[in-house]
Amino acid sequence: MNSDRIKKGVSRAPHRSLLYALGLDEEDIKKPIIGIANAANDIIPGHKHLDLICEEVKNGIYSAGGTPVAFSTIGVCDGIAMGHEGMRYSLASREIIADSIEIMARAHQFDGLVLIPNCDKIVPGMLMAALRLNIPTIIVSGGPMLAGRHEGQALNLQNIFEAVGAVNAGKMTEEELKELEQLACPGVGSCSGMFTANSMNCLTEVMGLALPGNGTVPAVFAARKRLAKQSGRKIMELVSKDIRPLDIFTEKSIENALTVDMALGCSTNTVLHLPAIAHEAGLDLDLQLINKLSKKVPHICSLAPAGAHHIEDLYYAGGIEGVMKVLGDGGLLHLDEITVTGKTIRENLQEVKDIDYNVIRPLDNPYHKEGGLAVLSGNIAPDGAVVKQAAVAEEMLIHEGPARVFKGEEAASEAISSGKIKPGDVVVITHEGPRGGPGMREMLAPTATLVGMGLDDSVALITDGRFSGATRGAAIGHVSPEAVSGGPIGIIKEGDIIYINIPERKLELKISDEELAERLQNYKPEPVEKTGYLNRYARNVLSADKGAVVK
């Protein structure tokens, strides 16, 4: 066992003395020591209850003959950080989360790990650590929030961001907004739509690194506590059998994750996180694989922000296993991959019985014939850009219009809110990439304001930054290379005509090759001037098409 290095032999008497100081006895010390990375805190609604999940994990570990030791990690609530300087720290926190888990696991020689995340960057950060460390590991999330309710209609955080735009447009009163804001988030859990947190928790289950139910069992259900306890027991089996993350996570696992991603219409942030996770396993994820799978995998679940259903509806409909059953029966998944259950995906899916086809549609009756995401390229984005095509209005799949150029989110948001953006415009937001932001801020405020003002079916938005999983509309992000790295998005001028063709995967600036070359030759990106952690991050982070990993 790894932990023998801190507890066996005469030379380890001082180490054992410190373990006794924790209240452990001789029998506890002899057992496998399992580290629990618990991301609980009092500021993120998705994490407020994680101490309860952690206690159940401990109970499972104790009952299966292990000794659990919990430690903490940081986390950022993207909703609370949205629209101001705080969002610069969200993506950047992913690396600190991965690094801190590595530090704790290596320094204390844990025999196994249970990782308890729930929200946006915490999930991928923990997955990155799992693959980097490659000791027996299982993930169990805190689960999704239930949807709110107002006059018989489901409600979520996205609706509140969009309601701000409605107030600005005079379509809603501030009193009505106040009523809605108190109803949208009824309790703990990751926000209730197929936003980034739930997208990543669902894909963790698909990749086989979490037990079935990880992505969809609601946070407040007793079944979530049982899942945590079962995960605690299961880690002991993984330690005993020496089943490690790199035994589970393979190129086929990545393809399975992207396949389910297409079927669910997940957040565009998955395109940022999956390459970073693959990088930790020594694998490369070519973004063109997304287009290949998108062409053959239909969009069979329409969840918020694009659809009316929420994660709780998917849970009752059969969960992620229900989705995988439909895809697997259609020959779209690799079914012989091992999972943390100790069984293959094929064996796990034999337990699936009831599927609600009103929520999880059959392959021959999808919401869209193509998958939820698309990667665009062209002279604006030589290395690619990402759009959630399942959330784009039909009339905006092909669009041509004048560029309205803004440096940074704040300037764009002010222009949108004050009515300066007109139907047909293409809003261009630069200097929001991983280096240029720095931190590649999510920009739900401008997209939600466009929706709230009724402009999502006539205005497009492109940026070298990124969007919240709650974003809908013709919002194209991750434009690479970014402006600060000399990318062509930085040389777009006010009034330039931009052509978007999502079905053909094109994103073009309609100027001559000669003018494009001249502009690029004369373009001198402004240096990023930041202090502290963001300064170090900006100097070392790679581009969005590389997963924004840090060198």
Side-chain angles (χ1 to χ4, degrees):
M1 292 190 295
N2 284 346
S3 61
D4 286 349
R5 297 173 184 146
I6 64 167
K7 64 188 186 185
K8 274 200 168 183
V10 172
S11 65
R12 295 299 182 252
H15 305 64
R16 291 192 296 273
S17 183
L18 291 168
L19 295 176
Y20 285 128
L22 301 175
L24 302 180
D25 62 22
E26 193 170 357
E27 289 303 311
D28 293 327
I29 294 171
K30 288 178 181 178
K31 296 173 183 176
I33 297 178
I34 308 299
I36 305 173
N38 178 13
N41 59 56
D42 286 344
I43 189 62
I44 306 178
H47 290 216
K48 174 72 173 176
H49 65 303
L50 292 190
D51 280 338
L52 300 176
I53 300 296
C54 185
E55 287 306 308
E56 296 298 342
V57 169
K58 287 180 180 179
N59 290 338
I61 292 170
Y62 280 128
S63 69
T67 297
V69 288
F71 59 94
S72 61
T73 63
I74 63 167
V76 171
C77 177
D78 281 18
I80 295 174
M82 195 76 66
H84 56 84
E85 179 190 19
M87 181 48 75
R88 300 192 191 285
Y89 290 87
S90 175
L91 179 60
S93 72
R94 188 185 70 181
E95 315 308 313
I96 291 181
I97 292 162
D99 291 349
S100 65
I101 293 171
E102 176 193 355
I103 288 167
M104 291 296 290
R106 293 290 188 221
H108 302 105
Q109 294 295 302
F110 298 139
D111 297 304
L113 281 172
V114 180
L115 307 179
I116 309 176
N118 214 28
C119 291
D120 298 56
K121 307 309 156 305
I122 297 91
V123 184
M126 287 191 173
L127 285 166
M128 290 165 67
L131 293 165
R132 185 187 303 173
L133 289 163
N134 198 34
I135 62 175
T137 302
I138 192 168
I139 291 90
V140 55
S141 78
M145 183 186 293
L146 295 176
R149 288 287 185 274
H150 179 254
E151 297 180 351
Q153 299 296 313
L155 193 65
N156 61 66
L157 184 65
Q158 160 214 347
N159 301 121
I160 307 307
F161 275 95
E162 292 176 4
V164 173
V167 171
N168 289 334
K171 297 179 180 181
M172 180 183 291
T173 67
E174 290 189 30
E175 290 73 22
E176 290 171 323
L177 174 60
K178 183 175 182 180
E179 181 181 1
L180 291 179
E181 72 185 49
Q182 295 180 16
L183 298 173
C185 300
V188 297
S190 48
C191 295
S192 57
M194 189 52 76
F195 312 143
T196 305
N198 291 324
S199 295
M200 290 307 305
N201 281 327
C202 289
L203 296 189
T204 300
E205 182 179 334
V206 175
M207 291 183 287
L209 293 167
L211 292 178
N214 181 71
T216 60
V217 176
V220 295
F221 282 17
R224 177 59 60 176
K225 291 184 177 181
R226 292 195 293 272
L227 185 68
K229 191 181 299 180
Q230 290 159 6
S231 298
R233 293 193 186 109
K234 186 59 67 173
I235 188 59
M236 298 308 299
E237 181 182 328
L238 296 175
V239 169
S240 175
K241 295 180 177 178
D242 197 28
I243 297 176
R244 299 171 181 242
L246 291 180
D247 298 324
I248 296 169
F249 186 85
T250 65
E251 290 181 345
K252 291 181 179 179
S253 303
I254 298 172
E255 195 163 321
N256 281 346
L258 286 172
T259 296
V260 174
D261 193 328
M262 296 303 116
L264 292 173
C266 290
S267 164
T268 52
N269 280 319
T270 61
V271 183
L272 196 63
H273 298 317
L274 287 174
I277 294 163
H279 175 77
E280 296 291 350
L283 302 172
D284 289 323
L285 199 169
D286 184 348
L287 294 188
Q288 290 308 313
L289 177 60
I290 291 169
N291 284 340
K292 176 184 174 183
L293 293 173
S294 182
K295 291 292 186 181
K296 72 176 185 178
V297 180
H299 177 219
I300 61 174
C301 283
S302 188
L303 305 169
H309 295 133
H310 289 78
I311 301 297
E312 65 199 75
D313 301 308
L314 179 57
Y315 166 68
Y316 285 118
I320 294 304
E321 284 200 308
V323 176
M324 294 177 72
K325 176 69 172 172
V326 171
L327 295 171
D329 288 349
L332 295 172
L333 289 178
H334 302 288
L335 296 176
D336 295 320
E337 299 299 290
I338 194 71
T339 73
V340 289
T341 65
K343 302 176 182 177
T344 64
I345 295 172
R346 188 187 307 277
E347 291 171 318
N348 290 342
L349 295 184
Q350 289 175 357
E351 304 296 321
V352 178
K353 295 179 176 63
D354 297 322
I355 297 175
D356 182 350
Y357 291 103
N358 293 310
V359 178
I360 304 171
R361 287 192 176 182
L363 296 177
D364 59 1
N365 182 34
Y367 290 95
H368 301 95
K369 291 182 179 179
E370 292 190 4
L373 300 180
V375 173
L376 312 184
S377 57
N379 62 3
I380 294 176
D383 294 335
V386 182
V387 63
K388 190 171 185 174
Q389 63 176 349
V392 178
E394 187 76 23
E395 54 267 44
M396 290 300 292
L397 291 172
I398 300 174
H399 180 76
E400 184 172 300
R404 304 297 309 281
V405 183
F406 303 93
K407 181 180 176 181
E409 176 189 1
E410 287 81 3
S413 292
E414 192 280 329
I416 295 168
S417 298
S418 60
K420 296 176 183 176
I421 303 301
K422 306 301 180 184
D425 287 347
V426 178
V427 176
V428 179
I429 305 178
T430 68
H431 294 79
E432 289 287 4
R435 287 184 57 212
M440 201 180 185
R441 288 190 290 180
E442 282 188 351
M443 289 179 278
L444 180 55
T447 58
T449 303
L450 287 172
V451 173
M453 297 178 74
L455 293 171
D456 57 305
D457 59 357
S458 61
V459 172
L461 193 156
I462 70 171
T463 180
D464 51 8
R466 62 194 177 94
F467 298 110
S468 163
T471 290
R472 57 180 170 137
I476 300 166
H478 304 206
V479 171
S480 299
E482 62 177 293
V484 162
S485 297
I489 191 173
I491 54 90
I492 299 174
K493 295 181 179 179
E494 186 81 6
D496 282 346
I497 301 301
I498 293 175
Y499 174 65
I500 299 165
N501 190 321
I502 294 173
E504 294 186 6
R505 311 302 196 243
K506 291 181 179 178
L507 181 61
E508 297 281 350
L509 178 63
K510 299 194 79 173
I511 60 175
S512 68
D513 292 343
E514 291 76 16
E515 183 175 354
L516 178 68
E518 182 181 353
R519 287 191 193 182
L520 286 171
Q521 185 175 7
N522 295 325
Y523 178 48
K524 294 180 174 58
E526 298 177 26
V528 178
E529 295 183 3
K530 287 289 178 182
T531 59
Y533 177 59
L534 287 181
N535 174 267
R536 298 196 302 275
Y537 183 81
R539 285 190 283 109
N540 293 288
V541 68
L542 300 182
S543 65
D545 64 297
K546 304 297 183 187
V549 297
V550 171
K551 291 183 290 186

